[in-house]
Amino acid sequence: MVEEWRHVHNVIVPPAAMTPDEARERAGRNRLANAYLADVLVGCSTVRPPGGEERVATVIARTLPAYRGRGIGTALYEEGLAHARVLGAEAVETVVLAANADGLRFAGARGFAEKERYVLDGEHDEWVDLRLAAARPA
């Protein structure tokens, strides 16, 4: 399961490609899930548990390009959001590679607003942190 999750993650965000060990470590901290059509891997999601005073959870849905526009990302996002609620999230954020126009449109269509743009130290790719506009995850 983790290797398939890693595959989708690495296709969608190549600047942050993970090794198998990094993906296993991430699975120990976050809820990782995969999406399939029949037996075909089509997407994955990550839910980082809520933290900090604001109880902010991070929900990320990724759909492989050939399967976008079929509701897969929406299903992954809604399931991730529901899980974040169960964990007690008071706010929800997501992060998108700035070059991923589809991902930015997807987040915006679900009520996320840009919070900040940044480039990690020693890197050149721009990332966008977005926060769900609703005070409580809806």
Side-chain angles (χ1 to χ4, degrees):
M1 175 276 176
V2 173
E3 184 56 28
E4 289 181 329
W5 178 93
R6 184 178 81 90
H7 168 75
V8 174
H9 173 276
N10 290 355
V11 167
I12 305 299
V13 287
M18 289 185 195
T19 66
D21 286 343
E22 290 169 329
R24 281 190 293 276
E25 186 275 330
R26 180 136 326 163
R29 293 183 286 118
N30 304 312
R31 180 181 166 273
L32 310 182
N34 293 326
Y36 302 88
L37 283 178
D39 292 335
V40 178
L41 178 67
V42 297
C44 75
S45 66
T46 302
V47 177
R48 294 179 194 152
E53 275 185 34
E54 293 183 76
R55 302 284 301 150
V56 178
T58 300
V59 176
I60 303 168
R62 301 175 197 90
T63 305
L64 292 171
Y67 299 97
R68 291 181 182 159
R70 301 182 191 187
I72 296 162
T74 298
L76 283 165
Y77 165 69
E78 288 175 354
E79 198 224 336
L81 185 60
H83 186 71
R85 283 189 197 123
V86 167
L87 296 176
E90 293 293 328
V92 174
E93 294 183 350
T94 195
V95 60
V96 180
L97 184 61
N100 182 352
D102 288 344
L104 291 172
R105 274 192 301 277
F106 180 89
R110 277 142 194 88
F112 284 87
E114 186 174 321
K115 184 177 158 192
E116 108 180 89
R117 287 180 180 247
Y118 56 92
V119 175
L120 297 171
D121 289 341
E123 303 289 329
H124 56 69
D125 295 291
E126 186 176 45
W127 297 89
V128 183
D129 284 348
L130 303 108
R131 182 171 275 208
L132 192 57
R136 178 91 178 129

